[in-house]
Amino acid sequence: MKNILFLILIPFTMFAKKPEDERGIYVKDQHSYSNPAEIVVQHLDLSLKADFSTKKLVGFVTLQVKNLTNADTLRLDTYNLKIESVKINDAPVTFILKPADEILGSELAIPITANTKEVTIYYETSPDAQALQWLNPEQTAGKKHPFLYTQSEAILARSWIPLQDTPGIKFTWTATIHCPKELMALMSCPQNPKQIGNGTYSFKMPFAVPSYLMALSIGDLAYKAYDNRSGIYAEPVMLAKAFHEFTDLPAMISSAEQLYGKYPWLQYDVLVLPPSFPFGGMENPCLTFATPTIITGDRSLVSLIAHELAHSWSGNLVTNATWNDFWLNEGFTVYFESRIMEKIYGKDYADMLNLLSQNELKHTVADMGVNNPDTKLFLDLKGRDPDDGMGDIAYEKGRFFLMALEEAAGRDMWDAFLKKYFEEHRFQTMTTKEFLHYLEVNLLQENPLIKQKVNVDEWVYGTGLPKSLPVIKSKYFDQVEKAAAAFIKQPTVMPDTAGWTTHHYLHFLRTIAPEMTYEKAVALDNHFHFTQIQNSEIAFDWFMIAFACHYKPAYKALENFLNTVGRRKFIAPLYRKAAADATLRPWIEQIYKSARPGYHAVAVKTIDEIFEGK
Ligand code: BES
Ligand code: ZN
């Protein structure tokens, strides 16, 4: 009986095309020169020497390829790489390095045959390679040794490895890294703790990953484990503080596993970088890279670790096929992050964080304009830098879409759906269309009520914020708002901050910000000493207020902040605000001039654009 049914069904399934069939095995990615429909890299072996005196990585990479269509050319992505030679079976071949595009870099075209299995490229990176930041000892916590780290997402891997730089392709890899003996090298794979101290480190990534998850860091580093699968890497002088701050890490991993399945990457460590790191965190497999600006002493900014950990499923296991599908990485991750936070710290705490983010999202959409095409979840980034897609839309609109689905489906049904989704697509890539198809077949079809409540197309292909945006309430914030109203009315009435966390302060500052005056800033600073505060999130909000009401007593601390912290989320808005104010512009230009050499290339690019008026 079963067989007959099978036979009858064949013709129908043949016509009921799944979106996967439409894209072929690999989706064409507008941000890569590679030709994966013809030929794919399945594995790479990297061998590099880190030369701190010339700020170069020098060495070679061997790519193992699968030629699917007897293609005669392997097309790779490169950015500012110096290609010394290309060899196939030990024989040099004539390659073509095409003229560079400002965003995409240069295509490296290598002639191959149907039988080509391996291609070796000898090359070196440029001293200003976009992914790499070479730090002087003064830019580190210990001040004694130089430091190097990479940031490959979105399309910067090509500035340190010639490869098919698209999230649509996954490969396994090994690497040998040579560095000065006194430094430790780490990469985004399970670490081998035995190989410390001889200047040569070997790495092996047994799981297939996309290029943007290739990462390397070299510095004076030490390790402290929480248990046999998680721990902290940091400069020795930072280690104890960082270890204390992230003490809930093992609990976060177990909570995540309870939600959406076993942690698949064997090991989960956090590497705390120097403060110039341009992001809060980066989900490099097995080894999240994190900014030290979340270390406050009171563990109040650890949701960032929950976020990067969540990427171990959403992003690293099930990966956005192109950067137009970026919300699949980030929206899912913010959603998952929030579920981890709720599990560990309770619903009231999570509500507070969610409401803060939703308020920001509403501001962002209002600023961008409700009809702005960039407020759609599914983006069209053709001809643009994929970095343009990084903002509240992918993250927060994406997250609230999933939250709306959760509310409509009920948590149990939704969690079962998500767990199955991750399980069935592990180590694969995903397009927006494929996700929507999966959602339709596995959830919506059997539950038409969900569709009545949540208009999926409106969320994904529509601009602005849909009617089904979840309503978030926070009892803690109700109290903060009362305190804020009292302060605005009478600036001598200071809030009672007993039990306040970073988030209470942020909500307080954001609520009073539009009403702030110089006098109110003086009163607040006298009471709370915000200008001196070491908490980067609160400091940032305070500095924005300081600019708005020309509160000069904060400017020295602000200048110091801009000279040490390179996290773009903080520094870009500060520069933007000051650059737009004629009375501050010459001063802020000076500060930028001196601080700029200490920033990573992705932050520099954004801030240069601010001063160029783009
Ligand atoms: N994967 C992102 C960082 C990223 C995205 C780098 C796109 C380059 C291009 C990472 O997971 C992230 O989202 N970091 C956030 C922190 C998070 C808590 C929202 C950040 O760095 O601010
Ligand atoms: Zn993220």
Side-chain angles (χ1 to χ4, degrees):
M1 179 63 194
K2 249 190 182 161
N3 286 347
I4 297 173
L5 220 122
F6 181 65
L7 285 173
I8 299 171
L9 280 174
I10 282 178
F12 291 104
T13 48
M14 271 169 60
F15 291 113
K17 257 195 175 179
K18 281 168 65 182
E20 291 101 290
D21 303 327
E22 287 169 35
R23 64 143 144 151
I25 311 172
Y26 299 102
V27 178
K28 176 66 196 151
D29 177 357
Q30 300 151 342
H31 295 106
S32 172
Y33 292 114
S34 62
N35 49 340
E38 298 168 11
I39 178 165
V40 276
V41 171
Q42 295 188 307
H43 177 85
L44 70 80
D45 297 299
L46 190 63
S47 178
L48 292 172
K49 176 174 184 282
D51 187 338
F52 281 84
S53 62
T54 56
K55 302 195 170 171
K56 282 178 183 174
L57 296 173
V58 184
F60 60 91
V61 63
T62 299
L63 306 175
Q64 289 178 16
V65 296
K66 185 171 179 186
N67 195 339
L68 306 167
T69 60
N70 294 343
D72 59 8
T73 310
L74 170 65
R75 299 179 200 285
L76 301 176
D77 297 294
T78 73
Y79 203 106
N80 262 342
L81 292 182
K82 188 164 159 205
I83 308 294
E84 298 292 348
S85 65
V86 177
K87 289 186 183 165
I88 295 176
N89 299 329
D90 281 334
V93 297
T94 311
F95 61 89
I96 304 171
L97 192 59
K98 303 215 173 139
D101 173 89
E102 203 189 321
I103 295 169
L104 303 180
S106 320
E107 173 185 334
L108 173 62
I110 300 170
I112 50 162
T113 68
N115 300 322
T116 305
K117 298 275 181 293
E118 284 191 3
V119 178
T120 301
I121 300 146
Y122 294 80
Y123 70 100
E124 61 180 52
T125 59
S126 131
D128 52 6
Q130 284 176 305
L132 308 180
Q133 193 177 15
W134 301 87
L135 300 174
N136 306 320
E138 306 77 64
Q139 289 174 280
T140 67
K143 315 274 179 219
K144 289 203 192 82
H145 297 280
F147 203 103
L148 166 70
Y149 69 84
T150 64
Q151 168 57 42
S152 297
E153 192 179 15
I155 55 168
L156 307 182
R158 64 190 68 178
S159 74
W160 67 288
I161 312 173
L163 40 54
Q164 293 184 314
D165 196 10
T166 166
I169 300 172
K170 298 195 182 193
F171 51 86
T172 53
W173 56 269
T174 71
T176 304
I177 303 291
H178 304 280
C179 67
K181 277 198 178 55
E182 62 279 16
L183 304 182
M184 187 197 285
L186 294 171
M187 288 190 79
S188 45
C189 62
Q191 310 297 324
N192 171 3
K194 292 199 192 96
Q195 52 172 0
I196 293 171
N198 67 357
T200 298
Y201 291 81
S202 43
F203 301 94
K204 181 177 165 53
M205 183 45 152
F207 309 108
V209 287
S211 56
Y212 77 88
L213 295 178
M214 295 292 303
L216 165 68
S217 185
I218 300 175
D220 178 20
L221 293 166
Y223 183 65
K224 193 168 174 190
Y226 292 114
D227 55 26
N228 59 8
R229 66 168 172 181
S230 64
I232 304 295
Y233 286 96
E235 289 187 62
V237 295
M238 289 290 289
L239 189 59
K241 245 179 127 182
F243 187 84
H244 171 266
E245 195 78 22
F246 305 136
T247 197
D248 287 336
L249 184 53
M252 285 183 175
I253 304 175
S254 342
S255 300
E257 289 186 311
Q258 283 165 31
L259 284 165
Y260 302 126
K262 201 157 170 35
Y263 179 74
W265 304 88
L266 305 175
Q267 207 171 329
Y268 183 81
D269 295 321
V270 174
L271 165 62
V272 178
L273 291 169
S276 71
F277 186 55
F279 295 109
M282 177 64 212
E283 66 273 27
N284 296 316
C286 308
L287 185 66
T288 280
F289 283 19
T291 172
T293 62
I294 52 170
I295 300 176
T296 54
D298 65 4
R299 300 176 182 160
S300 62
L301 299 177
V302 295
S303 62
L304 185 132
I305 301 297
H307 178 97
E308 305 312 334
L309 169 67
H311 271 304
S312 305
W313 288 261
S314 46
N316 298 7
L317 207 53
V318 185
T319 307
N320 53 205
T322 76
W323 298 114
N324 291 336
D325 307 299
F326 185 54
W327 77 276
L328 291 178
N329 270 18
E330 297 299 342
F332 274 70
T333 299
V334 177
Y335 174 80
F336 193 170
E337 162 201 340
S338 167
R339 294 292 305 275
I340 296 171
M341 293 305 286
E342 180 181 327
K343 243 182 168 0
I344 299 185
Y345 304 102
K347 185 161 172 3
D348 290 338
Y349 192 83
D351 279 346
M352 188 165 64
L353 270 58
N354 294 346
L355 185 52
L356 258 189
S357 304
Q358 191 177 76
N359 290 341
E360 294 235 313
L361 173 64
K362 286 178 180 167
H363 277 126
T364 302
V365 171
D367 287 351
M368 292 172 76
V370 289
N371 298 318
N372 188 324
D374 284 348
T375 61
K376 297 175 184 177
L377 285 181
F378 182 62
L379 293 175
D380 181 8
L381 293 169
K382 192 176 169 64
R384 295 165 66 187
D385 190 330
D387 207 41
D388 291 358
M390 204 205 171
D392 282 342
I393 299 303
Y395 284 74
E396 296 299 340
K397 186 177 173 183
R399 170 262 280 277
F400 286 114
F401 171 40
L402 301 183
M403 201 181 203
L405 286 169
E406 180 208 315
E407 285 181 4
R411 187 164 268 194
D412 289 347
M413 190 192 288
W414 173 249
D415 279 350
F417 164 81
L418 260 194
K419 193 171 180 177
K420 186 164 159 251
Y421 168 74
F422 286 131
E423 181 57 39
E424 288 181 7
H425 300 95
R426 56 210 312 266
F427 299 111
Q428 295 175 31
T429 63
M430 184 62 54
T431 64
T432 298
K433 222 171 165 185
E434 284 163 354
F435 169 67
L436 294 185
H437 179 82
Y438 188 85
L439 179 71
E440 178 68 32
V441 172
N442 292 281
L443 191 71
L444 304 183
Q445 255 167 25
E446 295 131 51
N447 303 282
L449 269 179
I450 303 177
K451 266 202 216 178
Q452 275 176 30
K453 291 185 187 155
V454 182
N455 182 337
V456 168
D457 283 350
E458 186 189 4
W459 275 94
V460 178
Y461 300 113
T463 62
L465 294 174
K467 286 183 292 298
S468 50
L469 181 73
V471 176
I472 317 278
K473 290 215 178 328
S474 161
K475 66 174 190 195
Y476 294 147
F477 280 3
D478 292 344
Q479 295 158 12
V480 171
E481 281 157 31
K482 285 204 186 88
F487 171 78
I488 291 164
K489 213 164 139 204
Q490 180 58 266
T492 50
V493 183
M494 291 296 162
D496 172 9
T497 56
W500 276 24
T501 67
T502 297
H503 314 285
H504 294 80
Y505 282 99
L506 293 179
H507 190 56
F508 179 75
L509 289 173
R510 288 172 198 180
T511 310
I512 62 172
E515 313 288 337
M516 281 301 284
T517 59
Y518 188 93
E519 289 68 32
K520 287 196 175 96
V522 174
L524 268 190
D525 208 15
N526 282 340
H527 190 79
F528 289 110
H529 310 290
F530 284 136
T531 297
Q532 263 68 52
I533 201 161
Q534 291 307 305
N535 181 311
S536 61
E537 292 279 349
I538 299 176
F540 167 72
D541 271 59
W542 176 246
F543 291 149
M544 290 295 275
I545 287 176
F547 276 152
C549 40
H550 290 165
Y551 178 65
K552 288 209 178 77
Y555 288 8
K556 194 72 210 146
L558 221 163
E559 182 174 349
N560 189 33
F561 185 88
L562 291 170
N563 272 310
T564 39
V565 174
R567 189 172 169 192
R568 186 172 65 175
K569 170 183 127 162
F570 296 143
I571 63 176
L574 288 169
Y575 281 114
R576 197 171 290 121
K577 186 143 187 116
D581 182 330
T583 63
L584 297 173
R585 179 135 184 157
W587 172 75
I588 201 75
E589 271 176 352
Q590 272 317 107
I591 292 179
Y592 183 46
K593 217 171 142 190
S594 80
R596 190 178 182 276
Y599 296 148
H600 184 276
V602 301
V604 166
K605 190 167 180 212
T606 305
I607 300 162
D608 279 355
E609 283 172 7
I610 293 172
F611 285 103
E612 286 155 13
K614 278 190 203 160

